[in-house]
Amino acid sequence: MKKESRLFEQISFKIRNDINKGKFKVGEKIPSEPALMELYGVGRSTIREAIKSLTLSGILTVQQGFGTKVNATPSEPIEQRLRSSDFEEINQVRALLEQEIVRLATKNRTESDLETIIKALEKEN
C-alpha cells in the first residue's frame, strides 16, 4: 500500500527537486513566499511547512532580513548533526516526529486499541 504524503511534503519534494535541477542554486535565495505560493499553486501555510522541513533537514537556511538560501548538500551524518544541534533545533524535529506519530496512530488504530486506551484512562481516574 502506497503511503499518501501530505501537501507540504509534496511541495518539499518539489522544492528539493528544483534545487537538484539547478533552478534554485546553492548559496542563493529562493523566491519569496508569495512567489513560491504562485509557483507551486499552494497556500502560505503549506509553503511555510515545506520550508520548515527543508530547513530542519539542512537543505535551506532562513536568515532574518535576508531570506531563505539554499545550502550545499549536508555531508555530515545525521548522528553528527544531532550531536551538534541546539535544544531548539532538536525540539523542532521532535515536534514534527510527534505530529507524524499521532497522525499515523489515529489513522491505523483499531477498536481493540481504543478499548485499551479507554481502560488505561479509567485506571488513571
Side-chain angles (χ1 to χ4, degrees):
M1 181 174 184
K2 187 178 176 185
K3 178 189 169 220
E4 246 182 77
S5 61
R6 295 185 301 198
L7 186 55
F8 86 87
E9 292 169 333
Q10 295 170 23
I11 300 305
S12 294
F13 178 79
K14 288 180 180 182
I15 293 172
R16 189 184 306 225
N17 200 28
D18 284 344
I19 290 168
N20 290 336
K21 289 180 182 175
K23 185 173 185 174
F24 307 134
K25 297 186 180 3
V26 172
E28 293 183 1
K29 288 183 357 178
I30 63 171
S32 65
E33 283 181 1
L36 290 171
M37 290 164 54
E38 186 174 325
L39 179 65
Y40 297 109
V42 295
R44 184 177 302 272
S45 62
T46 302
I47 292 297
R48 286 187 175 171
E49 282 295 312
I51 289 172
K52 183 177 176 182
S53 72
L54 291 170
T55 299
L56 290 173
S57 64
I59 294 169
L60 298 176
T61 298
V62 178
Q63 294 178 321
Q64 196 70 16
F66 175 76
T68 303
K69 72 171 191 163
V70 178
N71 296 324
T73 306
S75 57
E76 167 177 59
I78 188 71
E79 296 86 5
Q80 185 61 38
R81 289 192 59 220
L82 282 171
R83 283 189 200 102
S84 63
S85 296
D86 65 22
F87 182 75
E88 184 180 332
E89 291 171 322
I90 291 172
N91 255 353
Q92 289 175 336
V93 171
R94 184 186 56 81
L96 286 173
L97 288 172
E98 285 176 355
Q99 289 173 12
E100 184 64 11
I101 289 167
V102 169
R103 187 184 74 77
L104 288 171
T106 57
K107 180 179 174 186
N108 297 315
R109 60 100 177 143
T110 64
E111 286 301 316
S112 173
D113 295 332
L114 287 177
E115 290 170 16
T116 303
I117 291 169
I118 290 168
K119 287 177 186 172
L121 289 171
E122 288 172 349
K123 270 187 181 179
E124 291 288 319
N125 294 326

